[in-house]
Amino acid sequence: MIIRVRSPEGMHRVEVGLNDTLRILLEKLAPLMRAPTADAIVLTRDARGQEILAEFEHSLVSLGLKHGDMVFANVAASARPSAEPNESNDTAVGTTQAPRESAMRVQQDAVDCELEHESGLIPRPRDTMCTHGARAMCEYCLPIEPFDAAYLEEHNIKHMSFQAYLRKVLSDHKIRGDISGAVPANFALPLEEPEYGVRSKCPGAHAPWPAGICSKCQPSAVTLQRQPFRMVDNVEFASRSVVDTLLEFWRVSRCQRFGLMYGRYEVSRDVPLGVKAVVEAVYEPSQGCEEDGVRVSVGPELDAEIARADAAATACGMQLVGMVFTDLTPAAEPGKVLYRRHADSYFMTSLECRLAAYMQEQRPSACRWARAGRFGSKFVTCCVSGDADGGIDITAWQVSNSAQAMHRADLVVPSSVPSKMCVQEATATRYVPDVFYRYINEYKLSVTANAKPAFPIEYLL
């Protein structure tokens, strides 16, 4: 019989026997699609790729395929040969063009491996609408998914956890519950970080950038919006003494201080499938301290100092989880500090945002569900500042994957206005795509605005 296969290369007609298995079909299809192996082909019943055919040893007839049927095929992105090694993404876990096997061999954090064994389902008590017995369930009391929008809104969770987001993505591919097992051989890895730079080696017949550019190597327009998930959901300090050293330095000198936080990542039960960073110690690298800020030389010297601190922390069973700095100004009332970071001023400055993007980019989070073997970062930033009552409070944040990509492509630069980030001007060697952001106007309508020359930094959180 003849099975029709539609792929990016065109339509293929593959002749198979009535008792042939799905694997035989894939083996015959591989040379037609120029796939490295049969396992690199993703075969689906529909064009949207929702229903994947993965029963390799089952016969085609048992899968419901008959003469003249059409299926859809594509080569997994992680298995495609690429002539463009992206040097800016080289890490210990591979690059964006790394083969699928590299992504599969990444060593994830222990907390991610632990959470992958959990189903993530949120149990619900028996409802007043339930009419069944004690050992039955209905639509009113069935457990719900960790990414359920109504649950997140009810519990005022603005950002779902990364693992909940991963379950949401995998649910579109019919993968639910415990995801600790092996990834299907022909499964296209669903996670991919944004990339806003020009492809350094384009397959097009033109001179490499900046001498030439085409639609294949030119980045698309960027539309910024709030990232729906966080890689780390909470920051916890093991003891008060962890930050007391920073505070004591400010009390004595009235100068600000910067430090690197070391500790571990644990499961957080505050949000479904959440992760928290537990800080055990703070290391203060070489820095210049002023009353209005700190001076840290970002570069090889800082990297070497961090490497020495990392080695000492590893020997103590800890790892680098983030950075912390003070932003304290004494108030006129004794024992009080000014409340500077609020809704009418700024939550974080554009300079702090870019530093966070740089530090997160240096410390990616390994992920076996990402095509590059990495996705986002668990590196957190904490700020010790004043609160509304004149006391001292600690706030924490992470910038989005889009912020990291914009920093990686050198598209943004801090502005003199703390709450605004500037878009770089295009030059002979720097290509800057169109950048937009969306907001709700006074008529409650979603409006798209041009981000040039500057845009609010909350779109990078």
Side-chain angles (χ1 to χ4, degrees), residues 396-415:
W397 65 76
Q398 288 184 300
V399 296
S400 65
N401 291 359
S402 293
Q404 291 182 226
M406 296 189 79
H407 168 75
R408 189 164 58 242
D410 193 25
L411 299 184
V412 291
V413 63
S415 71

Side-chain angles (χ1 to χ4, degrees), residues 284-455:
E284 301 172 27
S286 302
Q287 58 193 279
C289 302
E290 308 290 344
E291 290 189 6
D292 59 348
V294 296
R295 287 179 284 107
V296 180
S297 298
V298 177
E301 293 183 2
L302 178 62
D303 293 340
E305 194 170 358
I306 293 177
R308 292 192 295 269
D310 287 349
T314 302
C316 299
M318 296 185 294
Q319 66 181 108
L320 181 61
V321 298
M323 63 182 179
V324 60
F325 60 90
T326 60
D327 182 22
L328 299 168
T329 303
E333 183 180 351
K336 300 289 186 178
V337 295
L338 292 181
Y339 182 37
R340 299 178 57 186
R341 298 172 182 254
H342 49 77
D344 297 327
S345 60
Y346 58 89
F347 175 69
M348 64 184 294
T349 68
S350 55
L351 186 62
E352 295 162 359
C353 180
R354 189 172 185 183
L355 176 61
Y358 169 81
M359 298 296 281
Q360 289 182 205
E361 183 64 19
Q362 298 300 310
R363 289 149 190 88
S365 178
C367 179
R368 67 193 186 101
W369 299 96
R371 300 175 185 178
R374 51 168 280 177
F375 189 78
S377 173
K378 293 187 179 69
F379 190 91
V380 298
T381 302
C382 291
C383 175
V384 183
S385 187
D387 60 15
D389 299 324
I392 295 177
D393 192 20
I394 302 177
T395 54
W397 65 76
Q398 288 184 300
V399 296
S400 65
N401 291 359
S402 293
Q404 291 182 226
M406 296 189 79
H407 168 75
R408 189 164 58 242
D410 193 25
L411 299 184
V412 291
V413 63
S415 71
S416 57
V417 180
S419 60
K420 298 284 187 178
M421 182 72 80
C422 289
V423 179
Q424 293 266 45
E425 294 291 336
T427 65
T429 57
R430 181 197 298 125
Y431 182 87
V432 179
D434 293 329
V435 183
F436 304 95
Y437 67 94
R438 294 183 181 181
Y439 69 96
I440 304 298
N441 64 8
E442 62 273 20
Y443 304 107
K444 307 298 182 182
L445 298 176
S446 178
V447 179
T448 301
N450 194 332
K452 299 178 181 179
F455 61 93

Side-chain angles (χ1 to χ4, degrees), residues 49-52 168-177 187:
Q50 296 292 327
E51 190 174 352
I52 299 176
K168 181 178 181 180
V169 173
L170 293 179
S171 67
D172 295 336
H173 300 276
K174 314 300 182 184
I175 299 178
R176 294 183 173 87
F187 181 70

Side-chain angles (χ1 to χ4, degrees), residues 181-254:
V183 179
N186 67 339
F187 181 70
L189 299 176
L191 299 182
E192 186 174 13
E193 291 184 322
E195 186 58 54
Y196 302 142
V198 178
R199 296 180 63 182
S200 58
K201 293 183 180 179
C202 178
H206 63 78
W209 171 262
I213 193 172
C214 70
S215 59
K216 294 181 180 179
C217 57
Q218 173 183 340
S220 303
V222 180
T223 301
L224 299 173
Q225 53 190 347
R226 192 191 73 177
Q227 185 168 282
F229 64 91
R230 284 191 180 125
M231 300 298 294
V232 175
D233 307 283
N234 190 21
V235 179
E236 178 181 301
F237 289 85
S239 65
R240 180 176 178 177
S241 61
V242 174
V243 293
D244 274 349
T245 303
L246 295 175
L247 296 178
E248 190 60 30
F249 181 90
W250 175 80
R251 293 188 182 104
V252 173
S253 64
R254 287 295 187 262

